[in-house]
Amino acid sequence: MENLLLIGSNALKKAALNENVKTHILKDPVLYKTLKKAADRYIGGENLEETIMKVIDQNKNGMKCSLEFMGENTATIQEAHQATNEFIRIAKQIKNQNLNATISLDLSHIGLAISKDLCFENLTQICKEAKNIEVTISAEGTEKTDNVMDTYIKGSKQFDNLSITLQAYLYRSKDDFKELIKEKGRIRIVKGAFETPEGLSIPRGKELDETYLYYLDELLSKNHRCAIATHHHFIQEEAAKRIDFYKTDSELYEFESLYGIETDQLDNLKMRGYNTKLYFVYGAEWYLYLCNRIAEYPMNIFRALSDIVN
Ligand SMILES: Cc1cc2nc3c(=O)[nH]c(=O)nc-3n(C[C@H](O)[C@H](O)[C@H](O)COP(=O)(O)OP(=O)(O)OC[C@H]3O[C@@H](n4cnc5c(N)ncnc54)[C@H](O)[C@@H]3O)c2cc1C
């Protein structure tokens, strides 16, 4: 059974990257409607307006949110500008509608794959518009880590609202962490989602969990702003113990989970008085996002089937 799920998940990973399959699905009304039902569990919507409705609901219940317009590896300057304009629109809407929300983005969505300078110009525009709204840079594949680190460190000298994501599974993160902690911006700790070349990352398991908690201990004990971005119940509970132990101010940390994944755990932390945040992605690229959610946790194929049937 486990093998079958693994075969299915590997097939999905391949299908997700296949442009022909994607185009076919997005153009076929029946396939589109069917798969969109499964995607709805994980996305804020296809556009910002739909997503904001969900953010407003979450805010009413005391849940902070982060918003990402999905996309990565933008190939043309024009597309990078379009993505930048959409992030600027998010910043404006957060301000206009007084949402308790922040922004998240992939630097390769706003031009990093084209040029570092273009990306920095676009990031500058977003940070300026966002002003007091936090802008968190996501962590991408290992081929981009150096450029992402450089851009964040340069940006954080100019903008107080910039934060960064650190992948606990990368061995290099031990060194990167020493640089990141010198900056004031929040450090969001994630386990890491991308496949890496052999020898660069710690596989899921005890060593990775201990490494994750090591970073967390360092951040909490030094009162450095952090985000505990995980769905792993054990890590969430260990983090809660440390927050209690260090009596960490609620401004300094947040538990953050992806919309649609183990959100009952996040709700439970919220009910117990911890600072919590839900991460919404939205956009037309939901097909890729759905494939990734299923591929990283193959049991989700059953949830998808049930969402489609119901
Ligand atoms: C807010 C946020 C931002 C992120 N940003 C980045 C980023 O910038 N770069 C990056 O590389 N990664 C990012 N990630 C993804 C992260 O690296 C992990 O791949 C992802 O969170 C799964 O790891 P985990 O910590 O939940 O632990 P895991 O050990 O993978 O999972 C622990 C448990 O969580 C549950 N779970 C995990 N994933 C799923 C799922 N898809 N469906 C259902 N249950 C699930 C299961 O119960 C599982 O046993 C982000 C994650 C979050 C929550």
Side-chain angles (χ1 to χ4, degrees):
M1 175 69 163
E2 230 167 77
N3 264 352
L4 272 178
L5 283 173
L6 209 63
I7 293 168
S9 105
N10 285 336
L12 268 171
K13 274 186 206 165
K14 276 195 191 141
L17 296 172
N18 186 321
E19 279 299 316
N20 290 335
V21 174
K22 187 176 103 182
T23 313
H24 179 67
I25 285 170
L26 294 179
K27 278 196 179 147
D28 183 303
V30 177
L31 272 177
Y32 177 94
K33 212 173 144 200
T34 310
L35 288 174
K36 175 73 175 15
K37 280 190 191 168
D40 280 341
R41 170 185 290 277
Y42 304 108
I43 62 169
E46 282 184 295
N47 58 49
L48 179 57
E49 286 65 30
E50 265 180 72
T51 311
I52 284 178
M53 302 302 287
K54 292 189 177 151
V55 170
I56 291 172
D57 268 356
Q58 292 293 336
N59 281 178
K60 273 188 203 148
N61 292 324
M63 184 75 81
K64 197 173 175 182
C65 297
S66 56
L67 279 164
E68 179 187 355
F69 169 48
M70 61 177 93
E72 59 186 357
N73 294 330
T74 303
T76 68
I77 297 177
Q78 197 198 2
E79 281 166 351
H81 281 147
Q82 279 166 358
T84 304
N85 288 338
E86 183 66 11
F87 283 108
I88 288 174
R89 207 164 78 83
I90 299 178
K92 286 187 171 147
Q93 287 302 321
I94 292 176
K95 283 187 277 185
N96 290 346
Q97 303 205 38
N98 207 12
L99 304 174
N100 188 4
T102 64
I103 299 169
S104 259
L105 52 79
D106 281 2
L107 288 180
S108 75
H109 195 186
I110 57 163
L112 191 67
I114 303 164
S115 103
K116 260 168 105 173
D117 287 345
L118 170 75
C119 173
F120 196 75
E121 270 169 39
N122 288 341
L123 183 66
T124 299
Q125 281 189 49
I126 296 166
C127 287
K128 278 188 178 163
E129 182 63 49
K131 281 202 186 96
N132 300 324
I133 301 163
E134 199 171 324
V135 177
T136 307
I137 296 173
S138 295
E140 303 188 51
T142 48
E143 71 289 357
K144 292 178 220 151
T145 312
D146 279 337
N147 284 342
V148 170
M149 282 283 296
D150 291 351
T151 308
Y152 168 68
I153 287 168
K154 185 174 166 192
S156 65
K157 311 274 183 250
Q158 294 176 34
F159 305 106
D160 289 337
N161 56 343
L162 203 56
S163 353
I164 185 77
T165 308
L166 184 84
Q167 293 159 319
Y169 75 161
L170 291 187
Y171 289 109
R172 65 167 286 168
S173 289
K174 282 250 153 78
D175 293 328
D176 292 342
F177 183 73
K178 289 182 192 144
E179 297 307 310
L180 297 180
I181 203 161
K182 290 180 194 161
E183 308 298 326
K184 281 198 295 279
R186 186 188 302 279
I187 302 178
R188 174 203 274 154
I189 309 287
V190 299
K191 283 193 186 176
F194 295 81
E195 273 183 32
T196 68
E198 224 184 303
L200 297 193
S201 61
I202 309 168
R204 290 286 190 275
K206 194 163 177 266
E207 186 189 350
L208 178 55
D209 296 347
E210 281 168 2
T211 307
Y212 190 111
L213 290 171
Y214 160 80
Y215 291 124
L216 204 57
D217 252 325
E218 285 290 297
L219 293 164
L220 292 173
S221 63
K222 293 185 168 65
N223 278 329
H224 196 288
R225 285 193 297 152
C226 64
I228 306 142
T230 182
H231 315 101
H232 193 169
H233 190 240
F234 167 75
I235 290 192
Q236 288 172 330
E237 289 305 317
E238 286 298 310
K241 280 185 208 161
R242 284 159 173 79
I243 289 163
D244 294 346
F245 176 79
Y246 292 118
K247 296 188 172 48
T248 309
D249 192 285
S250 69
E251 292 296 304
L252 292 176
Y253 77 87
E254 58 198 18
F255 285 96
E256 195 176 10
S257 294
L258 302 180
Y259 176 67
I261 300 181
E262 305 288 22
T263 43
D264 48 341
Q265 293 172 190
L266 195 69
D267 282 334
N268 180 277
L269 288 162
K270 178 168 68 76
M271 300 254 289
R272 287 154 56 195
Y274 294 102
N275 206 15
T276 52
K277 188 173 183 183
L278 202 50
Y279 188 124
F280 281 99
V281 295
Y282 73 88
E285 299 279 328
W286 54 261
Y287 166 69
L288 179 61
Y289 193 75
L290 170 67
C291 289
N292 285 336
R293 297 293 76 78
I294 297 175
E296 75 190 357
Y297 193 69
M299 291 295 275
N300 282 343
I301 196 85
F302 296 114
R303 289 201 178 104
L305 285 174
S306 149
D307 290 339
I308 287 167
V309 173
N310 294 319

